[in-house]
Amino acid sequence: MRVALHTKVRGDRIADYEAAHREVPKELTAAIRAAGATSWTIWRWGSPRASEAERGGGTDLFHLLECEDCARLLAELEQLPVNVAWQARMAELLDVAHDSRGGADAGLPVVRELP
């Protein structure tokens, strides 16, 4: 299954957010894969009408998660100490965090898929 998520990084913490993602703990990556994820990509975007400098500072984050079962993945990670620590770190950097209580239903709604 594919799940799209939207979060927002704090404008003054973009560099910290990107640095954190260059150093994701290997234990967390292994746990995410073991819970059924096959891919997780994050894009950062600003308004296309913004100047080049402003686009580079965009705070909207779009995630595409591919996994067997998103609800199971989130449940397996929820109490895992390395994930709890990671989520605490992300809470310091995000204005809008993903609300995982809804499982896959907390993702962005699908409008259309290419047939």
Side-chain angles (χ1 to χ4, degrees), residues 59-72:
T59 58
D60 286 292
L61 303 168
F62 296 93
H63 309 241
L64 178 61
L65 168 61
E66 296 186 56
C67 60
E68 296 168 10
D69 179 336
C70 187
R72 179 178 68 87

Side-chain angles (χ1 to χ4, degrees), residues 5 10 18 56 66 82 106 113:
L5 308 170
R10 289 180 36 191
E18 290 185 353
E66 296 186 56
V82 69
E113 292 188 56

Side-chain angles (χ1 to χ4, degrees), residues 17-94:
Y17 180 85
E18 290 185 353
H21 281 83
R22 287 190 295 274
E23 304 169 356
V24 176
K26 289 181 180 165
E27 181 185 358
L28 180 57
T29 299
I32 291 169
R33 288 194 183 282
T38 56
S39 176
W40 194 323
T41 305
I42 304 170
W43 292 268
R44 185 168 57 83
W45 183 78
S47 169
R49 290 187 271 290
S51 70
E52 186 64 33
E54 291 170 322
R55 271 198 309 278
T59 58
D60 286 292
L61 303 168
F62 296 93
H63 309 241
L64 178 61
L65 168 61
E66 296 186 56
C67 60
E68 296 168 10
D69 179 336
C70 187
R72 179 178 68 87
L73 181 142
L74 294 172
E76 287 185 23
L77 296 177
E78 186 176 20
Q79 299 300 317
L80 191 64
V82 69
N83 185 57
V84 171
W86 180 258
Q87 295 306 321
R89 185 175 186 190
M90 290 300 102
E92 297 173 359
L93 305 177
L94 297 175

